[in-house]
Amino acid sequence: MTTELYEHVRRNLFGGHNQNAFVQLLHDRAAIRGPIQGNPEEFSQILYELTRGELNGRNETVSCETVTRGNKDILKFTDGSLFRVVRAKDQIVGALIVVTPHLQSMDDLLESREQSFARLVSETLMIRDAFKRVADEYRRVELSLAADRASAELRVARESRLETIVEAIEKARTGGKVMVRGQLNIDALVDLGFVPCLVDNPDNWVDAEDVPGLWYRHGRSGIEVLLTGRERLRPIEELNRLEFTFLVHRSDDDPAAFGRMQKKFRGARRDGAPYSLKEFHADLLALVKYPEELKGRTEEDLGLMADEVELVMDRRQELDKGILPYEAVFKRDTAAIIDHIRRNRTPAREVRKAFDYFEYTGMIDQQYKAELYRQIAAATAERSAAARDSDALLYDKRVKEIVAEVLKKIPKERLTPRTVTIALTPYVSELGFGRLVKIRERILQLKEMVHDQ
């Protein structure tokens, strides 16, 4: 059974927040150390999952045995685990099913015989009506999900037609988004005259990162359309089902905004080499391919990571405060700042981190920071080193790389605040406060993407 089907039935039968008491029988039998109990419907759902609803046939997961002496009914799993199942009665809730780990005796081995689950349900546990309600719900949900899938396939087929995509682009206004499904349709748009481009810094937080986009001029009207690729990580593998999302700018909507965005579009790489269709494909895939390190992660996992990064930021903040004289920065006393740096031989890398912090807090702005960089470089004869550090500050693609590296280092089962801190430790000396802020923003961005799946 699929997790989707199980969860639908569980919510319909028991409510959104109530976990099935017997769920460990499906996935984690070794962790069951003592009796577990629940109502007949809960046990019936797990039995339905184990038997796929077939009570009279054999299956590869579990069988049912009865032992005459002691009147025992045993669930025998192929992994060797054994559980005794009995019906009990509670004065408040009524009938209960109790499942207990079982240690097989010699008498059990000699006197046990296999029985059908149909007999266990109808005669031994007397939960035939409960099992029927569960089975009916499974069939109802299966039909509903099948209908939803058929409807979704029709929608996918409609949205995948090139004519539909072109119509959506023509109707979209500036600030809207359009979705192009499948790499074949991307190539078809290129054949229609859409030009692959690199977009320089389309978002404020991914400074100096190039993003793929498309430029088009309508032959008759002369209207220009700019399509900027947007990140959308979804667990889809087939090239012709991938969903490429683009932000739209039109020349006839807001000419000023269009002009600003148009300056960011170019048809060549930074070194002047032509931007090939193969490179365009690779860049688009980077925006939509679901990262291996995100598979199996939950919103809670990513929230824990974001919280821990915030604690690391607090520690980094204390370090950054002491790198430069606080009063001199507050008063914008450039001479005192430069004198402090020269006297203490503060490395340019640490200076950058401190400026990063003070800019984030609002004590200095970008223009003053740039002027400080220039004067410090001149005063300390470290122009080239300072320039390199300044350039490094702008290249925040490293933020995405670090988040991916940290996620890869920590298996899901070992994700704790301590392991996050340990995984981040090698980068803390490399990063300034602003980079840590952006790492946290990136994790929260991924959290939102996981939520939207």
Side-chain angles (χ1 to χ4, degrees), residues 335-354:
I337 294 172
I338 293 174
D339 182 61
H340 178 91
I341 291 170
R342 294 179 66 178
R343 188 172 61 252
N344 291 279
R345 296 181 180 274
T346 310
R349 182 179 64 183
E350 294 303 306
V351 172
R352 172 181 61 76
K353 293 174 187 175

Side-chain angles (χ1 to χ4, degrees), residues 255-272:
F258 180 84
R260 289 192 297 271
M261 184 57 69
Q262 189 178 39
K263 292 177 182 177
K264 295 175 179 285
F265 275 67
R266 65 180 193 278
R269 299 201 306 266
R270 290 184 183 274
D271 60 5

